Amino acid sequence: MSSSARKSAEIKAVDPVWEAVRAGARQIVAAEPSLSGMAISAILNHDTFEQALAHRLAARLNHDDVSADLIRQAFAETLSDAPEIGEMARVDLAATLERDPACHRAIEPLLFFKGYQAIQTHRFAHAMYRAGRRDFALYLQSRASQVFQVDINPAVPMGRGIMLDHGTGLVIGETAVVGDNVSMLQNVTLGGTGKSDQDRHPKIGNGVLIGAGAKVLGNIRIGDCSRIGAGSVVLKEVPPRVTVAGVPAKVIGEAGCAQPALVMDQVVLVHDLNG
C-alpha cells in the first residue's frame, strides 16, 4: 500500500470531519423536512466522506452531455488513483469553516458553498489531467465554469487549505501555481500576459490573501503571507509578508499579521495608499 493510500485509510478510520458533516445532515433532516431528501441522498446514504463528495459534485455538474452517474464513476476511478483528494478536501473544508464567518457547520460548504465545490471539482480535474484524461479534465473545467462561475485550468496545481469566499468570477490560468493556505475572494484573476504558451501566470506563495476583484498578471511571484488589497492590479513581484494595493499595486506596508489568509482582513486604510 502506498503512503498516500495508508494515510487515506487512517483518516477514514477516525474521521472527525465526516462525523461533523453527518451530524449536520441529521440536523437538517430534523429541522427542515423539505431538504431531508437531499441531506439523506447526498450525505447519510454514503459510508465515507469521499463518496459523499463525489455524489454531491456529480449532482451539481450533471448535464445531458455527461450524466451525474458517469461523472461519479470517473470520480471513483480518480479517487482510487489519487486518494489524497479526500484529504485535501477535508483540509479545504476545515479552512472554510475556520475563515468564513458565514459558515457555521461542516456540512454547509459540502452542500451549499460553490467556492468549495469549485475547488473540489478542480482537484478531480487536475488529477485527471495529470493521469492523461485531458479531455475529461477540460470538460470539468468548462462545466464548473458554467455551474459555479469559477474557471480554473485543470493544469494548475493547488495546495491544501484553499478557501474561495463566494468564488464568483474567479479565473486562474494554465501555468499558475497556488500554494497552501491561500484565501481568495470573488472576481480574482490570476492571468497571463501575451499569447506565448510558455510559463506566463502568477505563482502564489503560502498563506496569501487576495482581496475581491484583484488582478495578478504575468509570471510573477507573490511572496508567502502577503496581502493583496481588493481591486488591485499586481504587475510586479510581491515580497513576503507585505501588503500591496493600488493600480498598479505597490507595497504600502507590512501584511498586518503573520497569516493574512487566515485572518481575512481586506481593509487597506486610505492614508496607507497616500503615504
Side-chain angles (χ1 to χ4, degrees):
M1 182 183 290
S2 68
S3 60
S4 62
R6 278 198 304 271
K7 181 178 286 188
S8 180
E10 291 168 0
I11 288 171
K12 291 174 186 176
V14 180
D15 195 346
V17 172
W18 177 227
E19 289 306 315
V21 169
R22 288 179 63 83
R26 290 191 289 268
Q27 290 173 356
I28 291 174
V29 170
E32 191 60 70
S34 59
L35 297 180
S36 62
M38 179 181 68
I40 292 169
S41 65
I43 307 297
L44 296 177
N45 278 352
H46 304 286
D47 296 326
T48 67
F49 177 85
E50 284 82 358
Q51 290 174 4
L53 177 68
H55 184 280
R56 184 58 180 159
L57 294 180
R60 295 298 315 273
L61 298 167
N62 181 50
H63 191 270
D64 289 344
D65 287 342
V66 182
S67 70
D69 286 340
L70 287 174
I71 294 172
R72 275 192 290 270
Q73 180 180 339
F75 284 175
E77 294 167 354
T78 302
L79 280 166
S80 68
D81 295 327
E84 65 274 10
I85 290 174
E87 177 195 354
M88 292 188 290
R90 288 172 173 84
V91 178
D92 294 341
L93 192 150
T96 302
L97 189 59
E98 176 187 4
R99 300 176 207 168
D100 187 349
C103 183
H104 304 288
R105 297 172 298 169
I107 194 173
E108 291 171 6
L110 184 55
L111 278 189
F112 304 126
F113 288 14
K114 63 187 179 69
Y116 176 80
Q117 294 167 349
I119 285 293
Q120 306 323 311
T121 300
H122 170 73
R123 294 201 184 283
F124 280 104
H126 181 64
M128 290 182 184
Y129 185 91
R130 293 184 62 188
R133 303 184 68 177
R134 185 174 185 273
D135 289 326
F136 206 120
L138 289 171
Y139 175 78
L140 289 175
Q141 176 194 1
S142 173
R143 187 73 184 125
S145 179
Q146 292 174 314
V147 174
F148 305 127
Q149 295 83 52
V150 172
D151 193 345
I152 308 173
N153 190 283
V156 175
M158 303 192 78
R160 291 168 167 78
I162 305 299
M163 201 276 275
L164 300 187
D165 196 353
H166 302 291
T168 303
L170 179 84
V171 176
I172 302 180
E174 179 187 27
T175 61
V177 175
V178 179
D180 295 333
N181 298 316
V182 171
S183 295
M184 292 180 276
L185 286 94
Q186 65 272 18
N187 291 316
V188 163
T189 298
L190 305 183
T193 53
K195 297 193 299 182
S196 170
D197 62 359
Q198 298 175 348
D199 198 348
R200 62 195 184 280
H201 293 97
K203 310 298 178 282
I204 309 300
N206 300 326
V208 173
L209 171 63
I210 306 180
K215 316 300 178 188
V216 186
L217 305 178
N219 182 14
I220 56 176
R221 169 77 183 178
I222 307 301
D224 292 349
C225 301
S226 59
R227 180 173 64 150
I228 298 174
S232 299
V233 177
V234 184
L235 303 175
K236 296 181 180 179
E237 188 159 315
V238 175
R241 296 176 293 279
V242 301
T243 294
V244 298
V247 181
K250 62 179 182 179
V251 175
I252 62 169
E254 297 181 353
C257 62
Q259 293 280 341
L262 307 187
V263 177
M264 298 295 294
D265 182 5
Q266 298 185 78
V267 175
V268 176
L269 299 179
V270 174
H271 67 74
D272 289 334
L273 287 171
N274 295 332

